[in-house]
Amino acid sequence: MEAFISLFNQYNVPAAFLVNIELTLWSTLFSTILGVILVMMRISPVSSLRAVAGAYVELFKNLPLTIIMVFMVLGAYAQLKLSFSDTFTTNFFWLAVTGLSLYTAAFVCESLRSGINTVPLGQAEASRALGLSFMQSATQIILPQAFRGSVAPLGNTLIALLKNSTVAAAASVATETSSLMSEMIEYRSDVIVPIFLIFAFGYVILIIPIGMLTTYLSNKLAVRR
């Protein structure tokens, strides 16, 4: 117990978890927006849009997240001069959010597409019979039902995003949990087990409520056929 107390007194562990939570929340927002755009492109009647969206999803699903994060720093920032702020800490934070959002959007798209597959084909045919355009049919009829049918996979994507936020260290975000854990191990190697337990239980505490909420919403919002 003394080891845990000394670690919390010496290091600001809650602040590190807060950075990961902020990374997750912002990335969830942007990846959801991009994921919705991608899934609408994938079900679009325009073949070129379907091809572009399909290529994007396949590319980012199969790219290691670490490579994307390193590219955001060494490619987008160092070579392409992409910058969100004059402050290094803030700039690297948003570079990490961008990388996480681009990566996660591919999985959001696939989760929503699985939800679209639960919508009966007759729904789309009925909307066309009523004279609705593709955009009207997608936004007013198909996507609302798809969201209800994809709560579980979206919840799993959110959990994966929270855990993936630790890769932000590769984008030089020095205040998140993996960076802090490395620092703690380097300077407090005498208490390695308590260090691992702190971060392991920290993520368990964050992830279990998401899983429980996802299960509840999945059962409550499920479309009864």
Side-chain angles (χ1 to χ4, degrees):
M1 183 60 69
E2 292 181 1
F4 289 100
I5 295 174
S6 67
L7 287 172
F8 275 97
N9 288 335
Q10 187 175 355
Y11 299 96
N12 195 347
V13 177
F17 275 100
L18 181 60
V19 171
N20 285 86
I21 292 172
E22 291 174 348
L23 284 167
T24 301
L25 292 178
W26 283 112
S27 300
T28 298
L29 173 63
F30 296 132
S31 63
T32 300
I33 294 172
L34 181 55
V36 169
I37 295 172
L38 287 170
V39 80
M40 291 185 67
M41 292 171 64
R42 294 208 73 174
I43 64 174
S44 167
V46 182
S47 59
S48 58
L49 292 179
R50 294 198 303 271
V52 170
Y56 179 99
V57 170
E58 290 303 317
L59 174 64
F60 280 91
K61 276 175 58 181
N62 293 288
L63 270 179
L65 180 56
T66 304
I67 291 179
I68 296 174
M69 288 299 195
V70 171
F71 171 80
M72 293 307 300
V73 175
L74 301 182
Y77 175 68
Q79 298 298 320
L80 302 179
K81 307 304 180 185
L82 176 64
S83 180
F84 297 97
S85 172
D86 294 332
T87 306
F88 278 106
T89 302
T90 304
N91 188 51
F92 289 138
F93 175 88
W94 289 110
L95 285 171
V97 168
T98 302
L100 284 168
S101 300
L102 292 173
Y103 177 77
T104 308
F107 296 91
V108 172
C109 174
E110 291 297 89
S111 297
L112 289 174
R113 198 156 71 99
S114 71
I116 289 175
N117 290 335
T118 67
V119 180
L121 185 60
Q123 299 276 345
E125 294 174 346
S127 66
R128 286 195 294 269
L130 292 172
L132 297 180
S133 66
F134 166 74
M135 188 64 69
Q136 290 173 320
S137 175
T139 57
Q140 298 177 25
I141 296 175
I142 298 175
L143 281 179
Q145 296 183 73
F147 269 104
R148 295 180 65 177
S150 58
V151 171
L154 285 174
N156 292 333
T157 301
L158 176 58
I159 291 173
L161 174 57
L162 177 58
K163 292 187 288 187
N164 286 338
S165 67
T166 58
V167 186
S172 300
V173 180
T175 55
E176 51 81 53
T177 52
S178 62
S179 298
L180 180 62
M181 187 174 71
S182 297
E183 179 184 345
M184 293 167 71
I185 291 173
E186 181 178 357
Y187 293 103
R188 294 297 307 273
S189 58
D190 56 312
V191 287
I192 286 181
V193 172
I195 290 173
F196 277 105
L197 289 176
I198 286 173
F199 289 98
F201 280 110
Y203 276 99
V204 167
I205 291 170
L206 290 175
I207 289 172
I208 286 181
I210 297 176
M212 294 175 64
L213 179 62
T214 297
T215 301
Y216 170 76
L217 291 177
S218 181
N219 294 329
K220 186 174 180 61
L221 299 178
V223 179
R224 310 300 177 187
R225 304 296 182 189

